[in-house]
Amino acid sequence: METYFERLTNELLKKNDFLNYYQARTWIELLWEDFETTRAQAGEQYLGKNVTEQVVLQFISNYGDKLHEFIASNPKYKDLLNSKDYLIH
């Protein structure tokens, strides 16, 4: 899992200069878990890590440059993703 998360985090950091490493990594883990949980709750067959990686990459491609805007407008994730304790990459 670490390899997947690291690779996806780096892709997100390439796409969004407003996120620090910690924020990008948190986004990746949230997106990954959300996709796999949603499929499981829907009773869908598990398709493997490679499929989940492709879905998260597609999300990064479509929305990665705007994820920092989501942080500002959603108080539920503000504390989790708006930390000033980490340096921007």
Side-chain angles (χ1 to χ4, degrees):
M1 292 298 288
E2 181 63 29
T3 304
Y4 288 96
F5 287 165
E6 190 67 23
R7 185 170 41 242
L8 291 166
T9 299
N10 288 328
E11 287 301 314
L12 180 53
L13 288 171
K14 289 177 192 173
K15 189 84 171 174
N16 191 319
D17 291 332
F18 294 97
L19 298 175
N20 62 43
Y21 178 86
Y22 170 78
Q23 291 168 322
R25 175 63 184 248
T26 301
W27 268 114
I28 295 305
E29 292 180 19
L30 288 170
L31 293 168
W32 185 283
E33 293 301 319
D34 184 61
F35 174 73
E36 289 196 338
T37 300
T38 301
R39 284 191 58 82
Q41 288 174 342
E44 298 290 331
Q45 180 180 1
Y46 180 66
L47 298 176
K49 295 174 187 173
N50 290 334
V51 170
T52 303
E53 180 182 31
Q54 291 306 310
V55 170
V56 174
L57 278 170
Q58 186 65 43
F59 191 90
I60 291 168
S61 176
N62 292 336
Y63 306 107
D65 60 334
K66 297 172 184 62
L67 285 178
H68 63 283
E69 296 170 6
F70 180 83
I71 295 169
S73 64
N74 277 291
K76 179 178 178 182
Y77 297 104
K78 189 173 185 175
D79 291 336
L80 182 63
L81 294 164
N82 204 15
S83 174
K84 298 292 185 196
D85 297 337
Y86 298 92
L87 298 175
I88 302 283
H89 72 284

